[in-house]
Amino acid sequence: MSLVNSLARRDAAVLLHPQTDWRAHEESGALVVARGDGVHVFDENDKDYIEGMAGLWCTSLGFSEPRLVEAARRQMSLLPYEHVYSHQTHGPAVELAERLLALAPPSMKKVFFACSGSEANDTIVRMIWYYNNALGRPKKKKIVSRRRAFHGSTCVSGSVTGLPNLQADFDLPLPGFVHTRAPHHYREGLPGENEEDFATRLAGELEHLIVAEGGAEQCAAFFAEPVMGAGGVVVPPRTYFAKIKAVLDRYDMLLVADEVICGFGRTGNMWGSETFGMQPDFMTVAKALSSAYLPISGVMTTQAVYDVLADNSRRRGFFGHGFTYSAHPVSAAVALETLAIYAERDVLGHVRRVAPVFQRALRHFEGHPLVGEARGVGLVGALEMVADKAHKTPFDPSLKIGPRIARAAREQGLITRAMGDTMGFSPPLVITETEIGEMFARFGRALDEIAGSVKPAQQAA
Ligand SMILES: Cc1ncc(COP(=O)(O)O)c(C=O)c1O
């Protein structure tokens, strides 16, 4: 893409982009997205793209929901800002907390609001450290997570994250954050090992790691996305979370379910925790909470955890943590309207109806010469590209197969996401069967184009 239009040129001159090769960006420039309509976005020339990733797994109601615009306008006129520090509150904060808890598993009793998934996960780590200090366990602070996990980009949530590209040269992870094997059966399973046996091995490895890191005395909590998103849409093997939970219970460790992607129906249930039988002590929500129209996230926790934190807040004078924009009234009003729309339109029922169509279309690609595995659940999925299907041999990373497919898909009018050579799909939850068909048709044309340009020698590399 040449820098033909002025906005792209101005962008390259001044804007620093997250998770982008900045030197490559100087040459390629940006796709300028000008407007959205349903599951489509349009560039400056009005070319249409199906947003196959709902932005960053988040725009659940699509890109033109007038009720969310109106909810924001209404709240802006009434009360554009107030905080919820030190015994002050406002309607949208209380109503949203009540509504969220009504949707959450019954064990969740309290909500703390933040502005992003990263801030919410940072908040949880702080709560866990505070909790163990309050209980007189000052050494019980280590956080265990998984390789390939993504929990955010701040120093703490970036330490819980297990993706080397997001940590190298940033001096992350910080001390006290350790990672165990990802539950990725296709990549990490041994030859002939079934999902149940793989899950048993993963639980055993987790236990070894916990023991090596000081056992119950030092290990505080385990963070997990129900389905790993940015790590390549990794669906856990059958029986995984039951086996992991048994280990955590033996070492008196808390379980955090990071529902930032999976929450609000993405996996075919309201919560990924439900889909995979997790019984968390904390849940992180963001993204689809407001259909991403405004930034807001939340931390939910149990009465048992709350009681310890509350007692300590009294001892210390107050709970010394918060953000200027915690429970921002306009974001909260938009989130409330989003949750109302989910209920009125039975968005979860819709996901359940169209998910089989989505998953069938995804798995259809397993016959394609470049596709090693198709995986997913509900309305999230991925296709992992390999050079040799029989041996699951990855492509030489310098070939940049994933980014090339993403670029070709863009030409075909589809926005998808390359996570290395794994292509992700996580469309708005309101996508129709017809739109799913069109999305994968556009993807198929892009994939064939790249397959045609990959030499047999490269395929066998
Ligand atoms: C599972 C998960 N947790 C946390 C985050 C971080 O959220 P944010 O980018 O809002 O800080 C993300 C972002 O993609 C995510 O996918």
Side-chain angles (χ1 to χ4, degrees), residues 221-448:
F222 182 77
F223 269 71
E225 302 153 81
V227 174
M228 288 180 150
V233 187
V234 178
V235 181
R238 276 184 288 280
T239 69
Y240 174 74
F241 279 112
K243 289 170 180 166
I244 293 295
K245 181 79 168 91
V247 174
L248 300 178
D249 287 349
R250 277 203 286 284
Y251 295 88
D252 191 15
M253 291 171 65
L254 299 170
L255 173 61
V256 181
D258 183 338
E259 296 269 6
V260 167
I261 287 177
C262 294
F264 306 103
R266 177 63 64 190
T267 67
N269 289 299
M270 183 55 69
W271 307 108
S273 304
E274 261 175 284
T275 304
F276 299 104
M278 293 170 83
Q279 294 165 293
D281 300 287
F282 285 96
M283 289 169 77
T284 321
V285 291
K287 296 194 190 273
L289 171 58
S290 62
S291 187
Y293 278 40
L294 282 175
I296 184 165
S297 64
V299 167
M300 292 191 277
T301 194
T302 62
Q303 188 70 37
V305 169
Y306 165 74
D307 282 336
V308 174
L309 303 181
D311 285 348
N312 208 46
S313 75
R314 156 147 297 180
R315 194 171 71 82
R316 287 280 171 206
F318 53 79
F319 182 72
H321 174 71
F323 306 103
T324 299
Y325 304 125
S326 283
H328 190 287
V330 183
S331 300
V334 168
L336 263 174
E337 191 71 356
T338 302
L339 300 185
I341 293 172
Y342 289 159
E344 282 168 38
R345 297 187 192 156
D346 187 20
V347 169
L348 181 57
H350 172 78
V351 170
R352 289 179 176 159
R353 278 188 296 280
V354 301
V357 177
F358 174 90
Q359 293 295 335
R360 257 197 314 279
L362 188 76
R363 280 169 175 76
H364 185 72
F365 285 98
E366 263 180 338
H368 194 279
L370 296 192
V371 176
E373 188 188 44
R375 53 180 179 262
V377 60
L379 274 183
V380 61
L383 299 171
E384 183 162 339
M385 305 297 149
V386 289
D388 174 354
K389 285 163 85 98
H391 300 97
K392 305 182 184 176
T393 317
F395 280 104
D396 178 343
S398 70
L399 293 175
K400 294 196 180 300
I401 292 292
R404 277 164 62 190
I405 295 171
R407 250 192 325 274
R410 238 191 223 186
E411 291 302 311
Q412 294 294 337
L414 169 66
I415 296 181
T416 175
R417 188 172 174 81
M419 295 165 283
D421 290 342
T422 295
M423 309 307 298
F425 301 87
S426 175
L429 299 180
V430 294
I431 193 168
T432 63
E433 286 188 24
T434 310
E435 289 163 341
I436 289 171
E438 181 58 25
M439 176 174 80
F440 284 116
R442 292 180 187 190
F443 183 76
R445 291 195 288 275
L447 190 58
D448 286 344

